[in-house]
Amino acid sequence: MPRLLCVCLLAAGVLPGAAETPEPGKAYFGRNRYVEYIAGDLPFVLSAPHGGREKPEELPDRAKGTFAFDTNTQELARAIDEAFVARTGHHPHVVICRIHRRKVDCNREIVEGAAGHPLAEQAWKDFQGFIRTAQQAVVARHGKGFYVDLHGHGHADARLELGYAHDRDEFALPDAELARPEFIKKGTLQFFALQDPAGYPALLRGPRSLGGLLEQAGFPATPSPAKPVPGSPYFNGGYNVRTHTAPGTGFAGLQIESHSKGVRDTEASRRRFAAALVEQLAAYLDAQMGIRLPTKPAAK
Ligand SMILES: [Zn+2]
């Protein structure tokens, strides 16, 4: 009896199969709990590939690549989940890599990310598979969705770096260049931005861009009206955001590289930033994608 089998598998918290409906707010795990998926029911998917702290001995240290740990981004992802629940009464989909970047890099293609080790490859596949599971659930329920890949940078300029897969010097181009459909197709907002090419420069760096909204909420960001051309260094968006906003996914999105102080350094910072991010995302998604997040009914 398939239905009973489903219930048993879900109760054990294993990878949900294609026919399953994961329970919002419940955590599911890949092999050895290296990757965690908190299922959601909002049209929003959040991932944190570099906030893992665990260093299991069965996985060798990778010899080549980048190993920087994005401090507290796992905790920030959980705070963002809580902020969505506080505002909407519903969960986003959240995918977290719980092991250290020394062991696996879930924001690189598998050859560099897992360095050829089968168990690291399994963790990488669990991470990417959960994101796909989440996106498919969102598209089935809502028709489209928004994706954020969450990171932390240590650059001197304490500012959120928003990555749309455009190089930093491209933001210095005239508006007419940015509004070309061929340019928009290189970016991570193409799912909806192609409907209004002339509006694309403002979508990246105008007052109603996500950078503009976050700055108005007190969090310096780039690109934005205050800093329309990012400085150097600048992280412009990696493997995950490019892969999971590609044509056919039904998703737009961006990479958020966060500075530490006031954003992710303390529990109070994380709670404050998470609440602001969710508030601004709600306005942005409504205005740009026609996605209206529910509002939590007032407590009686
Ligand atoms: Zn990172």
Side-chain angles (χ1 to χ4, degrees):
M1 167 91 189
R3 184 66 208 158
L4 281 176
L5 183 63
C6 297
V7 171
C8 294
L9 287 172
L10 282 174
V14 299
L15 185 77
E20 315 296 342
T21 304
E23 185 184 328
K26 181 167 175 169
Y28 299 84
F29 295 92
R31 181 187 167 275
N32 260 11
R33 301 171 74 91
Y34 291 164
V35 178
E36 178 176 351
Y37 167 44
I38 303 167
D41 53 358
L42 292 173
F44 187 84
V45 178
L46 175 70
S47 58
H50 293 157
R53 298 172 181 277
E54 302 189 20
K55 296 178 175 172
E57 283 183 12
E58 69 171 11
L59 298 179
D61 283 353
R62 295 187 307 129
K64 279 190 282 187
T66 305
F67 312 118
F69 166 60
D70 294 356
T71 310
N72 292 341
T73 49
Q74 174 180 171
E75 291 75 12
L76 180 56
R78 296 182 194 280
I80 294 168
D81 177 30
E82 288 172 14
F84 268 109
V85 173
R87 190 187 191 281
T88 70
H90 295 267
H91 285 270
H93 299 258
V94 182
V95 181
I96 290 169
C97 181
R98 300 178 66 246
I99 51 177
H100 197 277
R101 199 175 179 187
R102 263 279 170 200
K103 305 293 184 180
V104 67
D105 190 335
C106 287
N107 189 32
R108 294 291 187 276
E109 38 69 37
I110 191 167
V111 175
E112 180 185 336
H117 193 280
L119 298 180
E121 288 177 349
Q122 186 58 54
W124 186 97
K125 287 176 185 170
D126 286 343
F127 186 90
Q128 299 297 332
F130 278 133
I131 293 175
R132 269 196 300 279
T133 296
Q135 290 193 310
Q136 286 164 4
V138 166
V139 171
R141 183 181 177 123
H142 304 277
K144 59 190 171 186
F146 199 77
Y147 170 68
V148 169
D149 195 40
L150 183 67
H151 294 260
H153 73 74
H155 301 160
D157 191 6
R159 183 180 294 275
L160 301 167
E161 296 177 9
L162 310 182
Y164 300 102
H166 296 306
D167 296 338
R168 64 167 291 281
D169 52 1
E170 290 178 309
F171 289 98
L173 295 171
D175 282 0
E177 288 294 314
L178 271 55
R180 287 168 44 236
E182 300 74 40
F183 182 80
I184 299 171
K185 283 179 189 168
K186 294 197 286 183
T188 59
L189 299 178
Q190 62 175 293
F191 174 75
F192 69 91
L194 281 166
Q195 294 161 14
D196 176 24
Y200 192 54
L203 190 60
L204 293 176
R205 58 193 184 190
R208 309 310 294 168
S209 68
L210 193 59
L213 294 172
L214 287 167
E215 279 196 343
Q216 288 157 37
F219 294 91
T222 189
S224 68
K227 198 169 175 68
V229 182
S232 179
Y234 157 68
F235 288 126
N236 72 339
Y239 175 87
N240 285 341
V241 73
R242 291 165 195 250
T243 301
H244 300 297
T245 62
T249 56
F251 269 69
L254 80 161
Q255 175 175 299
I256 298 181
E257 283 275 358
S258 59
H259 52 289
S260 181
K261 193 168 170 38
V263 175
R264 57 184 162 93
D265 53 342
T266 66
E267 194 181 334
S269 293
R270 294 190 290 273
R271 201 177 302 131
R272 194 171 138 265
F273 174 68
L277 178 67
V278 168
E279 194 66 32
Q280 299 312 317
L281 275 170
Y284 180 85
L285 294 178
D286 188 8
Q288 306 299 347
M289 289 187 79
I291 292 176
R292 191 157 295 181
L293 299 181
T295 305
K296 189 178 182 179
K300 286 178 187 162

